């Protein structure tokens, strides 16, 4: 089975950033992405929403998510979905959570919900919740709240009894909630107006003065001082009463510094000295303070040099404010707003040319301080899906990630499967490290869309290279060690290349286009054009080199697939009924599968003169009918009823095909039967997602979503149908442009409009034994271990193919029995056992024990593995044997990948330990930097004073007798409160006299 793992290059849909104690949360498509602040690795939530996420909030370890259709889910600390429910209305503007209360904000109303069993403790947050209860509803038809698409979060909580929301007219509405009685909730409203002309960018609570008042009160209580009337006025959360029993909206006051409140107040829930900082798009910053039971303007500042503010955040403990603008951000000290503390502009980043080039077009739509205030997170969505974490203390980047700015069209895995390359329509290539899911290099040498990517190792080179083809008429080779383009291949005539392939040795590269029907062949070392093979009668659409021999397969619109033997100049033609769209070699090189426009998958035996091994009629498995969002009617896509991409699994037993919808179909090679159908995504924000043939219940959901979209744009379907020339914004269409399996057979990468999705093969939740035996149970395996038959028990566990029992038995085997068990291990289950060892190595526990198993397995069964490898390379065995050999090579790649990962991990650990030891050894013999305890320091001071006294005594003994006699007979001073000195002492010395006579 395939299970969603993560997504690379996701689209940041809304300007929301939330810092938690150990991660950064932000919405990407219909999932929530999480960036670990310790390892800087990016992951995504397993649960997905029906449409793009519109608003998120975080409280006590639980993440609350809402999409554009009003579907709300609650995700616990471990990633479990605790609750899912639909909001009463789909037009949700924003959500806010505090404690057990949830507020859902609509266009001109908000609703307050209460969770009965929401646990506020993060340690016990994974309890499944019941649907919240509506306890209060407020509506004002004359009021319209802001939309967060431009300015981000528009509703914020302070505690459990106070929140505020920003309106489209520039005013800010503060609501205090008395929820002591849930059946009779009292609400008081304050309207803050007069902060200038313009819409509110952000409004935040500031409780720094409240906390100072609390500290001062605690100090007064500890000193047992009586409170004065002035101290009583400064008490926090003074219980006053105001009220608005009818819950009618309050009109803003005409004055600039006082807000209006309602009469008959309920118990006051607003603490004294609470501040609210408001910034509007007219570059005016206003600070409101709650004093004497009313809101007053404390200060106001207008920024003259800031252009078009889009986001703002504060860190009141460090007195910092950051304002995101077009092209960067400005960092201010709240005590000095006249000049910015730092001006961060993308156009001034000389060390980052990619950001410098497009700096003027980047709009910082969201800024957020980390909890300690050391880091600033920036995000930009829509045009540039950019995420940056910046350390303003050291003025350096902690993280810089940018998604593809255009749909991804092609993918390629490296030989070890730890690196993935992706190319888009704008000629940009990104290379991803799959350990952290981050892009570590972006290549921008092409001027046209990327059509194909391949990894290869050139001759006489220890490093891998990335080859690419583009519609700009060039094929390029990139060095991934120095990140440079070291080869460029160009045809004599300008030909936009649509496909490209490299051979197994890395010496040859072939490419073809649709304008000319020839196949161009170059030498990688010399960049010399070797040949142009012109035998196709139509445009060449696809090509692939055999992974085991110098054989090239090409497919064309002339309804043929040609098999070329490069060095012997021989070719073989495979006839089809319709145009060939795509083809792929099996990992053993003995078979080719081709996809045609009639929806068929045809299998060809390359070793037996191109004999057809069968075909699959895939048109019946492709979803034929979808609902086009532009027309609103059922459309039959007859021209797209075929598989655009097809690939083999790494073991060669199955093929996976993708088409122009959200489904992936897996077929078994031997039985030609549909094994399983996978769903790439359930995001209804993509066009062409819904299939009315079997998913009738999606009709209502899609209709509901389409109504939301047209409300947001201020249009209706009837108006668009009547107005001539009216154009509707086209949604991204779901389709599979490329898919490829990891060489270790552990991961599948698929291109979607929302980025590159990675699916991992999951066998932990499925019962797939290698042999069916009624006596093969967990109880019988444990009984065998108790009898001391460790080898037999381990083989039984591998046969059962259960990871839990396999790990249990593997840990029970004594290390002294490892060589004997490896000698008697059956070859039939060797591949499965090697994959099990690679999984144990990836866990990073018991490395020495696992390496002992690996060493003994390779020493014992090395000749068999070598024989299988030779048979795989030369294709000397039957199809069934080569099929098992390709599976064995896949697990060997997985083992090598795990070994290299542990090598890097141990190398980093040893380097870190060596640096630590050098640092500790630098203190050896150095008294200046030696670490000492308090007792040692006291002892040294006492010894030093003792030595000083002895030195003074010896000096006094060396003095002449007259001086000593005169010193002994000297009378004490008359005033003991003042030091007196003997000016007649020899050598002009002054001797201090103390209170006790006769003692110096």
């Amino acid at each position: 089975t395939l299970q969603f793992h993560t997504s690379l290059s996701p689209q940041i849909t809304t300007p929301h950033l939330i810092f938690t104690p150990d991660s950064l949360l932000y919405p990407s498509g219909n999932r929530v992405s999480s960036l670990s602040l310790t390892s800087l690795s990016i992951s995504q939530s397993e649960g997905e929403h029906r449409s793009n996420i519109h608003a998120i909030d975080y409280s006590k370890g639980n993440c609350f998510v809402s999409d554009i259709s009003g579907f709300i889910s609650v995700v616990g600390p471990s990633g479990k979905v605790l609750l899912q429910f639909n909001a009463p209305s789909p037009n949700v503007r924003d959500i806010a959570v505090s404690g057990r209360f949830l507020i859902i904000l609509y266009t001109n109303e908000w609703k307050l919900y209460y969770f009965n069993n929401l646990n506020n403790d993060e340690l016990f947050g994974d309890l499944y919740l019941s649907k919240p209860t509506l306890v209060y509803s407020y509506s004002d038809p004359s009021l319209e709240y802001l939309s967060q698409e431009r300015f981000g979060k528009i509703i914020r909580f302070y505690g459990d009894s106070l929140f505020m929301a920003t309106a489209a007219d520039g005013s800010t509405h503060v609501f205090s909630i008395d929820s002591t009685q849930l059946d009779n909730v009292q609400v008081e409203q304050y309207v803050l107006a007069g902060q200038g002309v313009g819409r509110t960018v952000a409004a935040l609570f500031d409780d720094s003065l409240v906390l100072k008042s609390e500290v001062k009160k605690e100090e007064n209580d500890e000193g047992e001082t009586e409170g004065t009337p002035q101290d009583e006025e400064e008490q926090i959360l003074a219980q006053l009463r105001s009220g608005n029993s009818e819950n009618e909206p309050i009109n803003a006051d005409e004055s600039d510094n006082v807000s209006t409140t309602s009469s008959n107040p309920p118990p006051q829930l607003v603490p004294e000295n609470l501040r609210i900082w408001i910034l509007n798009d007219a570059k005016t910053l206003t600070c409101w303070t709650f004093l004497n039971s009313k809101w007053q303007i404390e200060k106001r500042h207008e920024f003259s040099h800031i252009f078009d503010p889009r986001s703002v955040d504060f860190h009141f403990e460090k007195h910092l404010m950051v304002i995101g603008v077009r092209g960067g951000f400005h960092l201010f000290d709240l005590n000095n707003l006249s000049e910015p503390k730092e001006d961060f502009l993308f156009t001034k980043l000389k060390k980052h040319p990619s950001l410098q080039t497009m700096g003027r077009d980047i709009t910082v739509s969201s800024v957020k301080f980390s909890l300690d205030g050391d880091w600033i997170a920036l995000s930009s969505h829509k045009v540039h899906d950019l995420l940056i974490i910046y350390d303003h203390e050291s003025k350096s980047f902690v993280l810089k990630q940018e998604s593809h700015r255009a749909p991804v069209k092609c993918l390629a895995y490296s030989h070890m499967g730890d690196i993935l390359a992706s190319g888009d329509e704008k000629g940009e290539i990104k290379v991803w490290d799959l350990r952290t899911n981050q892009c570590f290099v972006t290549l921008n040498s092409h001027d046209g869309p990327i059509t194909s990517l391949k990894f290869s190792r050139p001759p006489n080179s220890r490093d891998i290279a990335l080859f690419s083809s583009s519609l700009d008429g060039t094929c390029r080779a990139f060095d991934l060690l120095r990140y440079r383009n070291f080869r460029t291949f160009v045809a004599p005539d300008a030909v936009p290349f649509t496909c490209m392939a490299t051979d197994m040795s890395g010496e040859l590269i072939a490419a073809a286009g649709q304008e000319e029907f020839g196949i161009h062949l170059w030498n990688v070392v010399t960049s010399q054009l070797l040949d142009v093979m012109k035998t196709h009668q139509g445009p060449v659409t696809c090509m692939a080199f055999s992974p085991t021999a110098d054989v090239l397969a090409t497919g064309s619109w002339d309804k043929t697939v040609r098999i070329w033997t490069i060095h012997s100049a021989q070719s073989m033609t495979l006839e089809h009924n319709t145009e060939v769209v795509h083809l792929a070699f099996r990992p053993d090189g003995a078979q080719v599968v081709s996809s045609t426009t009639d929806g068929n998958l045809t299998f060809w035996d390359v070793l037996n003169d191109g004999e057809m091994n069968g075909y699959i009629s895939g048109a019946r498995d492709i979803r034929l009918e979808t609902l086009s969002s532009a027309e609103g009617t059922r459309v039959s896509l007859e021209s797209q009823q075929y598989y655009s991409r097809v690939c083999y699994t790494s073991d060669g037993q199955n093929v996976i095909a993708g088409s122009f919808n959200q489904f992936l179909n897996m077929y078994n090679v031997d039985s030609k039967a549909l094994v399983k159908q996978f769903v790439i995504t359930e995001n209804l924000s993509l066009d062409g997602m819904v299939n009315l043939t079997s998913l009738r219940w999606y009709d209502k959901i899609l209709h509901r979503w389409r109504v939301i979209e047209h409300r947001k744009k201020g249009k209706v379907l009837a108006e668009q149908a009547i107005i001539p020339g009216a154009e509707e914004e086209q949604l991204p269409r779901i389709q599979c442009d490329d898919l490829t399996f990891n060489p270790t057979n552990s991961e599948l990468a698929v291109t979607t409009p929302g980025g590159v999705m990675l699916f991992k093969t999951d066998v932990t939740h499925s019962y797939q034994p290698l042999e069916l035996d009624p006596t093969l149970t967990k109880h019988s395996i444990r009984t065998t271990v108790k009898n001391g038959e460790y080898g037999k028990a381990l083989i039984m566990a591998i046969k059962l193919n259960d990871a839990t029992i396999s790990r249990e038995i593997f840990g029970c085997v004594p290390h002294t029995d490892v060589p004997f068990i490896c000698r008697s291990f059956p070859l039939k289950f060797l591949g499965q056992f090697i994959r099990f060892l690679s999984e144990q190595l990836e866990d990073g526990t018991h490395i020495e024990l696992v390496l002992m198993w690996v060493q003994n397995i390779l020493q014992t069964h090395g000749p068999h593995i070598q024989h299988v490898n030779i048979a795989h390379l030369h294709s000397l065995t039957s199809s069934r044997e080569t099929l098992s050999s390709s599976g064995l090579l896949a697990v060997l790649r997985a083992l090598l990948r795990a070994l290299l990962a542990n090598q890097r991990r141990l190398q980093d650990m040893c380097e870190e330990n060596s640096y630590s030891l050098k640092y500790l050894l630098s203190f050896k013999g150095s008294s200046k930097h030696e670490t000492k305890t308090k007792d040692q320091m006291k002892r040294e001071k006492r010894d030093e004073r003792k030595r000083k006294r002895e030195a003074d005594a010896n000096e006094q003994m060396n003095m002449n007798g007259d001086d000593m006699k005169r010193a002994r007979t000297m009378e004490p001073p008359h005033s003991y409160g003042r030091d007196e000195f003997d000016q007649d002492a020899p050598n002009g010395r002054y001797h201090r006299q103390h209170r006790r006579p006769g003692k110096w």
Side-chain angles (χ1 to χ4, degrees):
T1 58
L2 295 176
Q3 185 179 7
F4 175 80
H5 174 54
T6 187
S7 177
L8 306 178
S9 184
Q11 295 180 354
I12 302 177
T13 52
T14 56
H16 274 237
L17 295 175
I18 297 178
F19 268 105
T20 67
D22 56 354
S23 62
L24 173 66
L25 304 179
Y26 59 94
S28 55
N30 63 336
R31 300 177 187 268
V32 177
S33 296
S34 174
L35 170 66
S36 175
L37 300 180
T38 55
S39 61
L40 295 180
S41 59
I42 302 175
S43 61
Q44 284 193 312
S45 59
E46 295 183 2
E48 62 174 336
H49 276 242
R50 300 169 185 169
S51 55
N52 287 336
I53 291 177
H54 189 61
I56 63 173
D57 201 4
Y58 181 86
S59 176
K60 300 295 182 66
N62 299 317
C63 184
F64 294 74
V65 185
S66 173
D67 59 17
I68 60 177
S69 63
F71 184 76
I72 299 176
S73 63
V74 184
V75 183
S78 65
K80 285 185 180 179
V81 179
L82 310 182
L83 177 65
Q84 291 180 341
F85 63 95
N86 283 315
S89 175
N91 196 12
V92 176
R93 291 291 179 93
D94 201 359
I95 60 174
V97 185
S98 179
R100 295 175 180 267
F101 291 96
L102 167 67
I103 288 183
I104 302 178
L105 185 70
Y106 301 97
T107 304
N108 52 17
E109 64 176 344
W110 55 266
K111 297 181 182 295
L112 177 65
Y113 292 87
Y114 178 78
F115 288 93
N116 295 320
N117 61 338
L118 180 62
N119 201 326
N120 291 337
D121 192 354
E122 294 188 12
L123 298 178
F124 304 96
D126 276 346
L127 301 177
Y128 288 98
L129 305 177
S130 59
K131 191 174 181 180
T133 305
L134 178 64
V135 296
Y136 193 83
S137 178
Y138 175 84
S139 178
D140 184 3
S142 62
L143 181 66
E144 181 181 357
Y145 294 107
L146 272 179
S147 176
Q148 61 165 354
E149 291 183 354
R150 179 176 179 182
F151 297 120
K153 201 159 187 63
I154 57 178
I155 180 171
R156 298 180 186 272
F157 253 113
Y158 177 77
D160 294 341
S161 58
L162 193 67
F163 77 95
M164 63 179 171
T166 55
D169 58 358
S171 62
T172 301
H173 299 253
V174 183
F175 299 90
S176 62
I177 305 172
D178 182 12
S179 59
T180 54
Q181 297 180 358
L182 295 178
D183 55 348
N184 187 19
V185 176
Q186 300 292 327
V187 176
E188 179 186 8
Q189 179 184 6
Y190 303 89
V191 180
L192 308 183
Q195 53 262 22
V197 181
R199 290 183 298 179
T200 301
V201 176
L204 289 92
F205 287 105
D206 177 13
D207 59 351
S208 57
L209 296 181
V210 178
L211 298 177
K212 290 181 181 179
S213 302
E214 290 180 353
V215 173
K216 184 177 180 181
K217 181 180 178 181
E218 291 178 357
E219 292 177 355
N220 294 336
D221 293 342
E222 291 178 359
E224 296 180 357
T225 59
E226 295 182 359
T228 61
Q230 184 178 1
D231 294 332
E232 293 177 359
E233 291 179 359
E234 296 178 357
Q235 288 182 356
I236 312 161
L237 296 174
Q239 301 299 321
L240 303 176
R241 289 195 171 272
S242 66
N244 183 16
S245 58
E246 298 179 356
N247 299 321
E248 296 179 356
I250 308 299
N251 296 324
D253 194 359
E254 296 283 337
S255 63
D256 289 342
N257 59 351
V258 180
S259 65
T260 61
T261 60
S262 60
S263 58
N264 302 324
Q268 178 189 339
L269 302 174
V270 183
E272 289 284 330
N273 299 324
L274 182 65
R275 288 175 170 178
I276 294 180
W277 295 81
I278 302 175
L279 177 70
N280 59 12
D281 57 359
K283 301 178 291 185
T284 302
L285 178 66
T286 307
C287 177
W288 292 80
T289 306
F290 192 77
L291 290 174
N292 300 325
S293 301
K294 63 180 180 180
W295 290 97
Q296 301 178 5
I297 293 181
E298 178 182 347
K299 63 175 69 174
R300 179 183 293 169
H301 182 80
E302 293 185 1
F303 299 97
S304 58
H305 63 284
I306 294 179
F307 176 73
D308 193 14
R310 291 301 183 94
S311 56
V312 66
D313 193 29
F314 298 83
H315 196 279
F316 299 109
E317 293 181 3
K318 294 190 175 182
H319 304 284
L320 295 176
M321 177 183 68
V322 58
I323 301 177
V325 297
R326 182 183 296 274
F329 69 86
H330 303 281
L331 183 64
F332 289 89
D333 188 348
L334 290 178
N335 298 324
N336 183 18
L337 295 176
S338 59
E339 295 182 359
K341 186 177 180 181
E342 180 182 355
D343 286 330
F344 179 91
L345 299 176
F346 292 108
T347 55
K348 297 182 180 180
L349 299 177
K350 296 182 179 180
K351 295 183 179 180
H352 303 274
S354 61
L355 292 178
Q356 186 180 12
T357 303
M358 58 184 181
R360 298 183 182 274
D361 299 330
I362 299 177
T363 299
V364 179
S365 56
S366 179
V367 292
K368 191 69 176 180
F369 277 107
S370 61
L371 299 182
D372 55 2
D374 294 337
W375 291 354
I376 300 176
L378 317 172
S379 73
S380 176
H381 72 296
K382 291 187 177 180
V383 180
H384 301 279
D385 294 320
L386 183 67
L387 177 65
I388 292 178
I389 296 182
Y390 181 75
D391 189 348
H392 64 86
E393 296 289 344
S394 62
K395 296 184 178 181
S396 61
F397 287 101
V398 180
L399 176 75
K400 181 175 69 70
Q401 287 294 305
E402 183 188 7
S403 301
H404 280 285
R405 291 175 290 170
V408 180
K409 292 299 180 182
C410 52
L411 301 170
Y413 271 106
S414 63
H415 294 80
M416 290 297 103
D418 56 346
I419 297 176
L420 180 68
S422 58
D424 61 16
E425 287 184 346
K426 289 190 176 182
E428 193 174 65
I429 301 174
K430 290 184 177 293
V431 187
W432 307 84
D433 185 358
L434 297 182
R435 292 174 296 175
T436 59
N437 298 326
Q438 291 188 16
C439 172
F440 62 89
V441 63
T442 301
L443 307 173
N444 296 310
S445 299
H446 285 288
D447 297 329
I450 308 298
T451 56
S452 183
L453 292 171
K454 298 293 179 184
F455 279 96
S456 182
R457 192 183 304 275
N460 302 325
S461 176
R462 294 180 298 177
D463 303 318
I464 60 174
L466 176 62
F467 294 84
S468 63
S469 65
S470 172
L471 293 181
D472 62 359
T474 62
C475 293
R476 299 178 184 269
F478 297 93
D479 183 4
L480 294 184
L481 184 63
R482 301 172 183 85
Y483 308 139
R484 63 184 180 90
N485 174 211
F486 68 93
R487 289 287 187 275
T488 302
F489 309 95
V490 183
D493 300 328
V495 178
F497 295 116
T498 57
C499 55
M500 181 268 303
T502 58
D503 70 331
M504 56 174 293
S505 63
E507 297 180 356
L508 301 176
I509 175 174
Q514 292 186 356
E515 294 183 2
E516 290 190 2
F517 306 155
I519 300 170
H520 299 76
L521 195 66
W522 292 274
N523 186 298
V524 175
V525 179
T526 63
S527 301
Q528 181 182 0
L529 180 62
L530 301 179
D531 193 7
V532 179
M533 300 176 287
K534 296 183 178 180
T535 56
H536 281 290
Q537 303 300 320
V540 180
T541 58
C542 53
M543 64 172 56
F545 267 101
S546 172
T548 60
D550 55 346
V551 176
L552 175 65
T554 60
S556 172
W557 285 359
D558 62 1
K559 305 179 183 180
T560 62
V561 169
R562 293 186 180 272
I563 308 297
W564 306 82
T565 304
I566 300 299
H567 297 290
S568 62
Q570 296 179 358
S571 64
M572 179 172 51
T573 303
L574 309 178
E575 298 289 343
H576 295 72
N577 295 327
T578 55
E579 293 82 0
V580 179
V581 179
H582 196 253
L583 60 83
F585 267 101
R586 203 167 64 180
D588 58 3
Q591 192 180 75
V592 171
V593 59
S594 59
S595 173
T596 53
T597 54
D598 57 359
N600 290 343
L601 298 178
T602 311
F603 298 89
W604 307 89
D605 190 352
V606 181
L607 301 180
N608 296 329
D609 297 331
E611 180 183 353
M612 189 175 68
N613 290 339
Y615 73 96
I616 298 173
S617 180
R620 60 188 179 186
D621 301 322
I622 300 175
R623 305 290 180 174
L624 301 181
E625 294 175 351
T626 60
L627 189 69
S628 174
S629 61
E631 298 294 336
T633 57
R634 189 182 305 181
V635 178
S636 180
L637 304 176
E638 296 180 357
S639 60
Q640 298 178 350
Q641 297 177 16
Y642 60 89
Y643 292 114
S644 59
R645 287 294 183 271
V646 61
C647 74
Y648 280 92
T649 58
S650 298
D651 56 4
Q653 297 180 2
N654 303 298
V655 293
I656 293 185
S659 59
F660 298 89
N661 53 29
Q662 70 269 38
F663 300 102
L664 294 179
N665 296 333
M666 177 182 286
Y667 297 94
N668 184 266
V669 174
D670 293 336
S671 63
K672 307 295 186 298
L674 179 65
V675 177
K676 194 167 184 179
Q677 191 175 64
F678 303 98
V679 178
I680 301 176
T681 180
E682 296 180 358
N683 191 358
L684 295 181
S685 298
L686 302 176
D687 192 12
M689 276 291 299
V690 179
N691 186 294
L692 299 182
T693 305
S694 58
L695 303 178
R696 296 288 181 181
W697 58 277
Y698 263 130
D699 192 8
K700 293 183 179 180
I701 298 176
L702 186 63
H703 176 71
R704 181 183 184 185
W705 168 78
R706 291 176 66 250
V707 170
I708 300 168
E709 289 296 315
H710 288 292
R711 283 181 180 176
K712 289 168 58 178
K713 297 174 183 178
K715 301 177 181 179
V716 293
L717 288 174
E719 294 178 354
Q720 285 201 351
I722 295 173
I723 299 177
E727 295 183 359
E728 184 183 4
E729 181 182 357
Q730 296 295 326
L731 297 175
R733 181 169 183 81
I734 180 67
Q735 64 182 24
C736 177
D737 290 318
D738 198 5
L739 74 163
T740 178
F741 243 99
N742 193 304
T744 61
N745 203 32
S746 60
E747 197 172 60
L748 174 69
V750 184
T751 62
T752 62
V756 182
M757 289 191 175
L758 301 182
F759 297 86
K760 283 202 170 183
T761 55
D762 183 22
V763 296
T764 56
H765 302 289
S766 60
Y767 178 68
Q768 297 178 353
L770 301 182
E771 282 190 359
L772 290 176
D773 189 354
T775 62
L776 194 63
T777 60
K778 293 183 180 182
H779 177 71
S780 62
I781 295 174
R782 293 190 176 98
T783 304
T784 307
V785 171
K786 292 180 181 179
N787 296 334
E789 300 177 5
Y790 300 105
K792 182 180 178 181
L794 182 61
I795 295 172
M796 293 171 63
I798 296 299
K799 288 181 181 179
L800 190 61
N801 199 15
D802 184 87
T804 305
I805 192 66
S806 298
R807 285 193 295 265
E808 180 182 344
I809 303 304
F810 182 77
C812 296
V813 178
H815 68 279
T816 56
D817 294 351
V818 172
F820 305 103
I821 297 176
C822 290
R823 292 193 190 102
S824 61
F825 204 91
L827 299 177
K828 184 177 181 180
F829 308 109
L830 185 61
Q832 185 68 21
F833 186 61
I834 293 177
R835 181 171 293 279
F836 171 77
L837 292 177
S838 65
E839 293 174 355
Q840 299 303 310
L841 279 175
E842 290 178 355
D843 293 339
T845 57
H846 309 293
I847 296 179
E848 184 180 2
L849 178 62
V850 180
L851 289 178
M852 184 187 299
W853 279 95
V854 173
Q855 182 181 7
N856 283 274
I857 281 289
L858 296 180
Q859 287 179 351
T860 305
H861 302 284
H864 170 72
I865 296 175
Q866 187 176 8
H867 172 72
V868 170
N869 189 21
I870 294 174
H872 172 76
L873 292 176
H874 297 282
S875 302
L876 298 177
T877 56
S878 64
S879 176
R880 183 74 62 178
E881 292 175 351
T882 55
L883 195 61
S884 62
S885 67
S886 60
L888 184 59
L889 288 178
V891 299
L892 287 176
R893 292 192 193 99
L895 178 61
L896 180 58
R897 177 181 175 179
L899 289 171
L900 293 176
N902 278 277
Q903 180 189 9
R904 287 191 295 265
R905 191 182 302 118
L906 290 174
Q907 183 179 359
D908 296 341
M909 186 185 300
C910 292
E911 290 179 356
E912 183 179 356
N913 292 339
S914 64
Y915 295 148
S916 301
L917 290 174
K918 288 180 181 179
Y919 176 75
L920 295 175
L921 290 175
S922 64
F923 296 108
K924 184 179 180 180
S926 177
S927 59
K928 182 179 180 181
H929 301 284
E930 187 176 359
T931 305
K932 302 175 182 179
T933 61
K934 292 183 178 180
D935 295 337
Q936 290 177 345
M937 297 175 64
K938 289 181 179 179
R939 193 181 301 111
E940 289 180 357
K941 289 182 179 180
R942 185 169 61 250
D943 295 341
E944 185 179 357
R945 289 195 299 268
K946 185 177 179 180
R947 287 193 299 270
K948 189 175 182 179
R949 287 196 301 268
E950 291 177 354
D952 293 341
N954 293 333
E955 184 180 0
Q956 292 178 4
M957 293 296 293
N958 293 332
M959 297 173 65
N960 56 36
D962 297 339
D963 293 338
M964 294 293 295
K965 183 177 180 180
R966 184 173 55 190
R968 289 192 182 96
T969 58
M970 186 178 295
E971 294 182 357
H974 300 287
S975 177
Y976 297 108
R978 182 178 59 185
D979 293 335
E980 295 185 3
F981 300 92
D982 185 7
Q983 298 182 2
D984 297 332
N987 302 325
R989 294 179 180 178
Y990 291 86
H991 300 277
R992 175 178 289 185
Q993 294 183 354
H994 299 277
R995 295 183 181 182
R996 294 172 59 185
K999 183 176 181 180
W1000 294 94

